[in-house]
Structures are given as structure tokens and as C-alpha cells.
Amino acid sequence: MLLHIVARGKIGRSPEAELVERYVKRIQWPTKLTELPDRGGKVPEPAAQQRTILLDETGRTLNSMEFADMLGGWRDDGVREARFLIGAADGFDDAQRAEADLLFSFGRATWPHMLARAMLAEQLYRATSILAGHPYHREG
């Protein structure tokens, strides 16, 4: 299953970009990163058998094991792409939220979208490590 991060805003050369790159390189699943301008730009057309996940402050919070279980379930059900959308500073409108398969949140705090991208990349690495039985994720 392809893990596809679609993010508004150019991350450029920054500490956040280094974190994203560090974790994306470690993910053993096919992974793609698409950057869009803050406004405008076209979100790539959805693939068949895709799930759309919006990072949104109103979304569900999942611990790392729950997140891994969700990804593993989708993979096992034949989902071809899990697309994670990170909005610009204004987030998403109600229509976009309604069309998403999941609204996902890193908690009640508002995070800078560049940092959210790094946090998502780390959680994707952690989830795929959990599913592979790798010792990166430790409980307790």
C-alpha cells in the first residue's frame, strides 16, 4: 500500500524537512510526498481503492498501536493508497472534511503544518515498524 503525504506549503531546507526526509527514508512501504502551494494547485486525482485522511484538529486521536492497526487493516483489505492531506494555515473546509475517510488529529493543540508533516512521517515510520515487528516502537 502506498503511503502518500499531500501537504500544502513548501518545506524547503529546514529542520522540519530534515526530519521528514529522515523518517520517509526509513519507511519500508512505498511512500510518496507531494507538495502543493499554500493556495491553489491541484490535489492529485484519487486512485482506486484509496483512503483519504485529513490531518485536522477536530479529528480522532489514535495511539501508535491503533494507527498501525488501522493501516494494517487497510493494507490487508486491499487498499492501494492511504493519502494523508495536510492543509495550509486555514485547514480544511466542511466539504473536504465530509469527503474524507478519516479526520486524524495529533491532539487538541494546534501544530504548525511543517511540524505536523514531520510528526506524520514519524508516525508512519513507527506504524510500519510495529506492523513489521521491528523494535523501534516500545510500549511503557
Side-chain angles (χ1 to χ4, degrees), residues 1 15 33 42 47 50 52 72 79 84 96 106 110 112 125-126 131 139:
M1 180 173 73
L33 178 62
K42 182 131 175 86
Q50 172 190 300
T52 299
V79 172
F84 296 86
Q96 291 168 309
F106 286 127
T110 301
Y125 172 62
R126 183 177 298 271
L131 292 169
E139 291 198 27

Side-chain angles (χ1 to χ4, degrees), residues 46 50-56 58-60 70 74 83-86 92-104:
Q50 172 190 300
R51 296 292 182 272
T52 299
I53 303 95
L54 301 186
L55 269 67
D56 189 271
T58 67
R60 286 180 51 200
M70 179 187 70
W74 289 343
R83 182 176 289 186
F84 296 86
L85 279 73
I86 301 173
F92 300 101
D93 62 31
D94 290 338
Q96 291 168 309
R97 284 185 189 100
E99 291 177 5
D101 295 296
L102 174 69
L103 301 180
F104 179 53

Side-chain angles (χ1 to χ4, degrees), residues 24 32 67 76 98 117:
V24 167
K32 181 178 178 180
F67 187 63
D76 295 347
R117 193 181 310 187

